[in-house]
Amino acid sequence: MVQVKILQSVSHGIYHVHHGEVHTLPDAVAGQLIGDLAGVFRALARMSGEKQVSLAQELDLCRAHLRVMSIRTGVEWRLETRNVAPEHAVPPALFLTLIENGYIHQRVRGDAAIFELSAEPRPGGTAYTFISPGEIKVQPDRADGGTGLRYVKARLEESFPGRWSFTHGPHPAGGWATVIELWRRGQPA
């Protein structure tokens, strides 16, 4: 399953580099874009056979992807974190997929967009809240979500069988909120 995600991400990245007209960028910026895109591909290749990766690895991947998107779109895309434990394990490309969903399904205004990831200890586990910025373009018409959410849920079940929950919807302050709870041993009572 991860190998499929890698192929999707590689083709998606190559498409955007090609259609982003890299040849019109100043040399230093084009070099940075190519270097960051190569870093994304290397990280995805390293993660391809893994069931879980450290949150630190996942966040590095997300930030490299956001640097590529910043150069390509002219919007400063960032990821801010609060209370996350870099050593915690998550499925590969979990939060990267949520970033891609936010980019595709939401419209940001202005020249900066900040994704937020926070962690909150819960009895027997951790709750991760991921906030994606921007105005929601279209409300999802499928309760189970599209390809991205199906990937996220499948990877959560593979890594944490029966020990996770997933909720999402509009955030009161704007944007889209996703809450993923992971438990060490089954659901708390």
Side-chain angles (χ1 to χ4, degrees), residues 1-23:
M1 184 75 158
V2 177
Q3 288 84 354
V4 171
K5 182 66 178 172
I6 287 172
L7 291 175
Q8 290 173 342
S9 295
V10 167
S11 62
H12 181 75
I14 289 171
Y15 172 82
H16 285 300
V17 166
H18 175 69
H19 289 284
E21 299 186 21
V22 166
H23 63 278

Side-chain angles (χ1 to χ4, degrees), residues 30-88:
Q32 179 69 39
L33 175 64
I34 299 300
D36 286 337
L37 188 57
V40 169
F41 294 159
R42 278 192 302 274
L44 286 169
R46 277 193 309 270
M47 295 177 174
S48 69
E50 302 297 324
K51 188 174 173 180
Q52 296 179 347
V53 297
S54 73
L55 192 51
Q57 291 172 292
E58 176 71 7
L59 295 176
D60 287 346
L61 171 63
C62 291
R63 288 185 173 117
H65 179 69
L66 291 172
R67 286 190 302 272
V68 169
M69 296 309 299
S70 293
I71 293 170
R72 194 188 74 70
T73 64
V75 173
E76 182 187 356
W77 297 90
R78 292 192 332 254
L79 173 60
E80 294 182 355
T81 59
R82 187 170 41 86
N83 298 329
V84 299
E87 70 279 3
H88 281 187

Side-chain angles (χ1 to χ4, degrees), residues 93-114:
L94 179 74
F95 295 112
L96 176 67
T97 302
L98 296 180
I99 285 172
E100 290 175 353
N101 277 356
Y103 176 75
I104 291 167
H105 299 294
Q106 291 165 236
R107 182 178 6 273
V108 297
R109 304 276 185 225
D111 57 0
I114 301 170

